[in-house]
Amino acid sequence: MIAEKFHFSPVLAGESLTLRQIEKKDAPALLAILSDPLVAKYVTQGSMFSFGRSRRVAAELLNDGRPDSKHYGIWIPESDVPVGVVSLQNWRQEQKDAMIGYMIDRRFWRRGLATEAVAVLLQYVFCGLRLRRVEGRCHAVNAASERVMQKNGMVLERTFIHKRMFFAGPLEMKIYSLTDRQFEACRSGVQREGKD
């Protein structure tokens, strides 16, 4: 199993935030974030908001027994609880690929926290875990989430229609991806710009 072969770094540091593995004590903060219908709407693929659904998502984030996923809380100096989550999901060791996901407490939107958290996670994914490809998804109408991926060098791969069950209509989703070579080229470009 992946968890037995590799121990994830418990802390990842950025310039203005720190990523720490989520623990059970973070459950109230996660539930508070997921209890906001505007946040939950994009995390649960647009399904009808319910506190039961929010609790299930929070429980999944707190489940540290899954060897193919790791969820980091996003911590900033002015808060004593996580203000969001950035995740590595569906990690396939053989293919060396994974998906990323993220959510931010609405009170902290538009501060660049998701962009920086994803940047920190991508650095770890490609330089620490040595993955070859990462994928991220967002609702086609979620321009803010799309910008987070674009700012981190991720490229639009395709758009697809997600057919949902019950009375919900189909949902248009966008898939972005980044390979290790694209990441290295992007990072080299930034380093060159800094030297000029």
Side-chain angles (χ1 to χ4, degrees):
M1 288 175 62
I2 294 169
E4 293 170 1
K5 292 180 184 174
F6 190 86
H7 297 285
F8 285 93
S9 177
V11 178
L12 303 171
E15 285 185 32
S16 62
L17 56 77
T18 303
L19 306 182
R20 293 205 305 255
Q21 290 182 18
I22 291 176
E23 301 176 13
K24 302 285 187 213
K25 66 180 180 175
D26 302 321
L30 295 180
L31 277 172
I33 295 169
L34 287 162
S35 294
D36 183 333
L38 285 177
V39 174
K41 170 181 174 181
Y42 295 117
V43 174
T44 61
Q45 298 202 349
S47 58
M48 291 285 282
F49 173 77
S50 75
F51 288 106
R53 177 78 175 135
S54 293
R55 282 193 295 274
R56 284 192 296 277
V57 172
E60 182 64 28
L61 293 172
L62 290 165
N63 179 5
D64 62 358
R66 288 190 57 175
D68 68 340
S69 299
K70 187 55 65 179
H71 307 287
Y72 288 94
I74 301 169
W75 299 79
I76 56 176
E78 63 264 36
S79 178
D80 57 356
V81 296
V83 299
V85 174
V86 63
S87 300
L88 182 66
Q89 306 160 8
N90 302 322
W91 181 21
R92 300 183 303 174
Q93 176 66 11
E94 300 76 27
Q95 289 84 357
K96 295 200 175 295
D97 66 4
M99 289 181 63
I100 59 165
Y102 43 90
M103 69 176 187
I104 300 286
D105 185 322
R106 186 157 46 118
R107 296 173 299 167
F108 298 92
W109 285 4
R110 296 178 191 83
R111 289 180 47 176
L113 296 176
T115 300
E116 184 179 352
V118 169
V120 171
L121 186 62
L122 289 175
Q123 172 77 22
Y124 179 55
V125 160
F126 288 117
C127 299
L129 300 179
R130 300 287 182 200
L131 297 192
R132 292 191 188 119
R133 181 181 176 278
V134 169
E135 178 181 296
R137 299 179 178 199
C138 69
H139 295 205
V141 298
N142 191 349
S145 184
E146 192 170 10
R147 279 194 304 275
V148 166
M149 291 186 279
Q150 290 169 342
K151 286 179 181 177
N152 278 291
M154 298 181 76
V155 178
L156 179 63
E157 200 170 273
R158 66 184 171 100
T159 301
F160 74 99
I161 302 298
H162 174 63
K163 294 185 168 97
R164 299 180 291 164
M165 297 173 60
F166 307 116
F167 301 108
L171 184 67
E172 187 177 11
M173 301 289 291
K174 291 186 176 182
I175 296 180
Y176 276 78
S177 65
L178 186 66
T179 66
D180 53 351
R181 289 181 180 178
Q182 290 168 325
F183 174 79
E184 193 55 46
C186 185
R187 192 168 72 155
S188 296
V190 169
Q191 288 172 347
R192 278 196 298 274
E193 284 176 20
K195 290 179 182 177
D196 292 343

